[in-house]
Amino acid sequence: MAPEATSTLLDALLATAPDAVLIAASDGTIVLCNQRAQELFGWENCAAWRDRPLTALLAPEAPPHLGQLIRRKPITGLELAMVRHDGTPFDAQVWTSSIPASASILAEARTILFVRDITASRAAVSAIRRHNQELTVLNNIAVQATQTYAIPDMLADILDQTLDAVRADTGWIEIFKSGAPAIGTSHLVTRGLPPVPETAEPCADLRARVAAQVRTAGKPYVILADDQVGRCLGIDVPSQLLGVPLITRDRVRGVLVVVGLLHHQPHPLRLDQVQLLAAIGHQISTAVENARLAAQAAEVDMLREVDRIRSELLASFSHDLRSPLGLIEMTCSTLLRDDVHLDADSRDELLRDVRAQIGRLTKLVDGILALEQLESGHLTLKRMPLDLRDLLRGSVQQARSVSSHHRITLDLPADPLAVLADADRIEQVLHNLIDNAVKYSPNGGEIGIRGRRADRRIRIDVTDAGLGIPEDQRGLIFERFYRIERDAARHVSGAGLGLAICKGIVEAHGGAIWSVPAPEGGSTFCFELPTAPMELQ
């Protein structure tokens, strides 16, 4: 190409190129540049750039070999840090190409360099990424607020996510006591505050100062640089602090506080981060309010359940008390009537009935007292070495004598079932379980009782072929006053104390009790007790 044409082409390139264009000699010094390059690097005239080395355009942190790489090898879209004439750094993208000596109108020209300022585009990409991260944090907090109502755990997780989002490592969330005339704290979670006595008082003073200001003003509270913040953290660096109010229903419920520190070094918060913290504060307010409403709803449900149980308990007690009292009253009235003449045998039979009904009342009262002792931890066990086979034989014999409609079987091993236990209490457990099996098998049938050794424990099973237990109620049957909700079981008398007493007694002995469905219908109640030490067997 003729020199004139080459010169025209070069002039057009320099004038129309959207990027900065620099032409360097073989030694790496600049011999020519366009107007865009002068504007980008801040050169006022040709003297400012002529004979300037390309390496002077690179930021100090650039690798030493980068200047040689730019001059000797073609580069496509390399991103690096460069500096302007006044030392201001900026992000750049660079393309290079070598110039053959035969094609150059400048004898010394060997490399052409295109430089594009990507500071704005990088900032835009960074802002988009930061915005997406902030949206993710807000979404995570919103999801978490609907999935858990455990306020302390929820606040701790939200604080961690918030501090990570704004790149800070110190802050706290404080929830004020509801309805308190003065500022009181119902929940407080912190991160980054040193757990040392020397900072306890400064931190308490700082929290009180921020809480009072936020609660009074109802808007964000900013401390730009304060020694008190540093004293709270045990460092000598004045630090920025931002407190965001947590507001629901026009009331300040608490405060979210972030300290502008990262690794104990100042890390000021940006304006957009302040806006993010305000949005997070709104999410926290909503989450805490939802948790409070859920707790109130649960409390209402609990009170309703208490009322229901109380009503059922009163109805059950009324029935269990009225029946024996009615019989006692009727029998006593009969015995006191002048117009009724009874022989000695009839009078003795009526008196025996009275004694039986008194025993029934005594059993009910004793059950309530025993349960109260168990739940208060005041039950005293008279432990002694026992062979449970003896207690089982006695309980089965007693059950057979009062229940002629059931076939009660007993399966025992030849070796002793040795335990260290209170004989009267364990006998009460056996009586309650066998009596339960009889009552919930109204049509008779077989009741099987089995004892065996299982590793270092003794296990007793009581199996009936009765009504069975609905699976959704199996976990409730050992609660006091609970009775199976089934039409076929409504005829069964009792206050719902027997199984609760069994559970308390067995657990007081270090054992466990549970229920499983029987293979052929009905239920099996199982309990285990630790075996007695070898020296006591």
Side-chain angles (χ1 to χ4, degrees):
M1 182 179 293
E4 295 80 4
T6 302
S7 177
T8 301
L9 181 62
L10 178 61
D11 290 341
L13 175 65
L14 293 174
T16 60
D19 299 319
V21 180
L22 302 106
I23 298 175
S26 58
D27 62 357
T29 58
I30 300 171
V31 296
L32 189 64
C33 72
N34 66 352
Q35 182 64 31
R36 180 73 185 99
Q38 294 186 63
E39 294 170 356
L40 177 61
F41 288 96
W43 296 322
E44 294 182 2
N45 48 52
C46 295
W49 55 261
R50 189 176 298 280
D51 297 330
R52 189 179 182 88
L54 287 176
T55 53
L57 307 181
L58 302 178
E61 62 269 18
H65 67 279
L66 192 56
Q68 297 180 1
L69 179 65
I70 290 175
R71 297 198 310 271
R72 296 180 181 180
K73 297 185 68 175
I75 293 175
T76 303
L78 175 65
E79 294 185 3
L80 48 83
M82 305 186 81
V83 291
R84 306 186 199 278
H85 183 60
D86 62 0
T88 305
F90 68 95
D91 296 321
Q93 194 170 20
V94 175
W95 293 261
T96 67
S97 179
S98 59
I99 302 175
S102 60
S104 177
I105 61 171
L106 298 174
E108 67 270 32
R110 290 294 179 268
T111 303
I112 184 168
L113 188 74
F114 296 87
V115 180
R116 179 177 299 169
D117 185 353
I118 60 172
T119 303
S121 61
R122 271 194 172 181
V125 171
S126 178
I128 291 173
R129 289 175 179 170
R130 187 167 60 248
H131 183 64
N132 289 338
Q133 180 188 15
E134 292 169 356
L135 289 178
T136 300
V137 171
L138 288 172
N139 181 67
N140 290 342
I141 292 173
V143 170
Q144 191 172 25
T146 62
Q147 291 181 343
T148 178
Y149 295 127
I151 294 180
D153 294 339
M154 177 179 65
L155 293 180
D157 289 342
I158 291 176
L159 180 61
D160 287 342
Q161 293 183 60
T162 300
L163 294 178
D164 291 344
V166 299
R167 298 198 64 206
D169 50 23
T170 304
W172 65 85
I173 299 176
E174 182 176 4
I175 305 300
F176 305 143
K177 285 184 178 179
S178 179
I183 294 179
T185 302
S186 64
H187 296 91
L188 174 67
V189 295
T190 67
R191 192 174 110 177
L193 299 183
V196 294
E198 293 78 6
T199 63
E201 186 174 347
C203 284
D205 292 342
L206 180 62
R207 288 203 311 269
R209 171 185 170 188
V210 175
Q213 184 67 31
V214 168
R215 192 173 190 182
T216 301
K219 59 184 180 181
Y221 176 54
V222 180
I223 301 176
L224 294 179
D226 195 313
D227 292 336
Q228 186 181 10
V229 179
R231 289 196 300 272
C232 171
L233 302 175
I235 59 178
D236 296 328
V237 180
S239 304
Q240 180 196 47
L241 177 147
L242 172 66
V244 176
L246 311 179
I247 302 175
T248 54
R249 300 180 183 179
D250 298 326
R251 290 185 57 188
V252 179
R253 306 287 185 174
V255 60
L256 164 65
V257 178
V258 174
V259 179
L261 284 175
L262 183 64
H263 307 309
H264 294 294
Q265 295 299 320
H267 186 74
L269 299 171
R270 303 185 309 272
L271 177 61
D272 60 311
Q273 290 178 323
V274 175
Q275 296 170 343
L276 170 65
L277 292 174
I280 292 176
H282 176 72
Q283 295 278 27
I284 297 173
S285 304
T286 303
V288 172
E289 184 67 12
N290 288 343
R292 282 176 170 167
L293 292 176
Q296 291 174 1
E299 185 176 354
V300 170
D301 290 341
M302 182 184 68
L303 292 175
R304 288 175 178 169
E305 182 66 11
V306 169
D307 287 340
R308 185 187 69 82
I309 292 174
R310 184 186 293 114
S311 298
E312 292 182 357
L313 175 61
L314 291 174
S316 177
F317 275 178
S318 297
H319 177 272
D320 289 344
L321 290 172
R322 189 182 298 114
S323 297
L325 288 175
L327 290 173
I328 291 172
E329 181 183 14
M330 183 177 65
T331 302
C332 290
S333 298
T334 301
L335 291 172
L336 292 173
R337 288 181 59 175
D338 295 332
D339 58 338
V340 176
H341 302 285
L342 301 172
D343 56 37
D345 291 340
S346 298
R347 181 178 291 274
D348 290 344
E349 183 178 355
L350 290 175
L351 289 174
R352 282 193 294 271
D353 289 342
V354 170
R355 185 172 62 182
Q357 298 304 322
I358 292 174
R360 183 177 170 185
L361 289 174
T362 302
K363 179 182 176 183
L364 178 62
V365 174
D366 288 346
I368 297 174
L369 294 176
L371 188 61
E372 179 63 28
Q373 288 180 321
L374 286 167
E375 293 186 344
S376 64
H378 294 154
L379 181 67
T380 302
L381 297 178
K382 301 176 181 178
R383 297 177 186 265
M384 62 182 66
L386 298 175
D387 184 353
L388 284 187
R389 296 181 303 171
D390 297 334
L391 293 183
L392 287 165
R393 293 187 185 105
S395 297
V396 168
Q397 183 178 358
Q398 181 183 6
R400 286 170 177 167
S401 67
V402 297
S403 179
S404 58
H405 299 293
H406 298 81
R407 188 166 69 90
I408 303 177
T409 63
L410 181 61
D411 181 10
L412 296 175
D415 295 329
L417 300 177
V419 296
L420 189 64
D422 186 319
D424 292 338
R425 297 301 182 184
I426 299 302
E427 187 175 24
Q428 185 178 6
V429 171
L430 294 172
H431 173 77
N432 287 353
L433 293 180
I434 297 173
D435 183 61
N436 218 49
V438 170
K439 288 193 298 184
Y440 283 92
S441 304
N443 299 323
E446 181 174 327
I447 296 175
I449 301 168
R450 182 187 181 194
R452 65 184 185 275
R453 179 189 289 267
D455 294 329
R456 297 182 179 180
R457 302 177 78 81
I458 303 299
R459 174 167 170 170
I460 308 298
D461 295 345
V462 179
T463 302
D464 63 63
L467 303 176
I469 302 170
E471 281 304 314
D472 61 343
Q473 300 181 46
R474 193 173 299 278
L476 303 173
I477 58 176
F478 292 100
E479 300 294 329
R480 61 175 182 169
F481 308 129
Y482 189 84
R483 300 187 61 191
I484 294 176
E485 296 180 357
R486 174 178 281 183
D487 291 340
R490 296 191 184 281
H491 71 283
V492 179
S493 63
L497 296 174
L499 292 179
I501 292 173
C502 290
K503 180 175 183 289
I505 292 174
V506 170
E507 290 182 350
H509 281 82
I513 186 169
W514 67 96
S515 170
V516 295
E520 299 180 1
S523 301
T524 296
F525 284 85
C526 317
F527 74 91
E528 289 182 343
L529 297 175
T531 57
M534 291 298 298
E535 63 270 17
L536 297 178
Q537 295 185 23

